[in-house]
Every structure is written in C-alpha cells, then in structure tokens.
Amino acid sequence: MAYVVAEPCIKCKYTDCVEVCPVNCFYEGANFLVIHPDECIDCGACEPVCPTKAIFPETELPSDWKEYTKLNADYASKWPNIAEKKAALPEAEEYKDKKGKRAELSPAPGK
C-alpha cells in the first residue's frame, strides 16, 4: 500500500512532505504533487506534515477522491522527481481550504 496525494494539494503545492520523505518518491506537476506508488515505502512521514491534509494512506482515501490513486500513478511516471523543499505556489494560502479544485489540476510537469 502506498500513500496518495489528493485534491487539497491542487494550486497549493506545499513541499513539506518532500522534505521528510526518506525515499524521494514525490513527483512535481505545475500545481500539484504526486507520490509514485511503487517507490513509496509506506512510512507515513509525509502525512502529518502536509499543511492541506492532502495525503492519505491508499486504504483511507475518501471515496470522493478515489481517482487520485490512478492520477498519482499516472503522473509519477511523467513528471520530474522532486527531492528538496521549495516555496509553495503564490496562491497557496488562498486555495488551501477550497473544495472542488479537481478541474484546476494542470497536467503540465513542474519546474
């Protein structure tokens, strides 16, 4: 079982999780992060440090966000790996508590 990044991360992209990950299994999109399911060692270090509470064990992912399991796997094979903490997106605080952000997820790779 791996951890999954879900909707609350969209348009925020805080990277506190990246900083604590011992295996560098995070991948960066333009406005979202994902976890590579085959690289995640299920240590759970990332979950408590996420400011938006966007990270869940796959078995505890809310049913409304089940599609994020596949999204994480798909994008982790396309986006670049991120291994160091970066500044959050400029609009992160504005979007941190917003709901229904799925349509705003950009498929573009991060930088």
Side-chain angles (χ1 to χ4, degrees):
M1 178 192 74
Y3 278 74
V4 177
V5 180
E7 184 175 291
C9 182
I10 298 172
K11 295 200 84 167
C12 294
K13 204 167 80 167
Y14 290 99
T15 57
D16 304 64
C17 52
V18 171
E19 187 174 47
V20 299
C21 181
V23 294
N24 299 330
C25 66
F26 282 87
Y27 290 79
E28 180 184 19
N31 68 358
F32 187 63
L33 297 173
V34 296
I35 295 172
H36 195 299
D38 296 333
E39 295 174 2
C40 178
I41 61 169
D42 197 28
C43 71
C46 57
E47 184 182 12
V49 300
C50 178
T52 62
K53 306 296 180 220
I55 301 173
F56 298 86
E58 186 177 350
T59 58
E60 296 176 28
L61 188 64
S63 59
D64 291 354
W65 295 334
K66 289 295 182 191
E67 71 173 305
Y68 286 89
T69 299
K70 184 173 179 349
L71 284 172
N72 274 244
D74 289 348
Y75 287 132
S77 67
K78 297 173 182 157
W79 290 348
N81 184 259
I82 177 172
E84 294 181 7
K85 185 174 176 157
K86 295 182 179 180
L89 294 176
E91 65 270 22
E93 282 300 310
E94 175 189 349
Y95 280 88
K96 185 176 180 181
D97 297 318
K98 284 196 175 185
K99 307 285 185 232
K101 301 187 287 184
R102 171 62 179 94
E104 299 187 56
L105 183 126
S106 173
K111 297 175 182 103

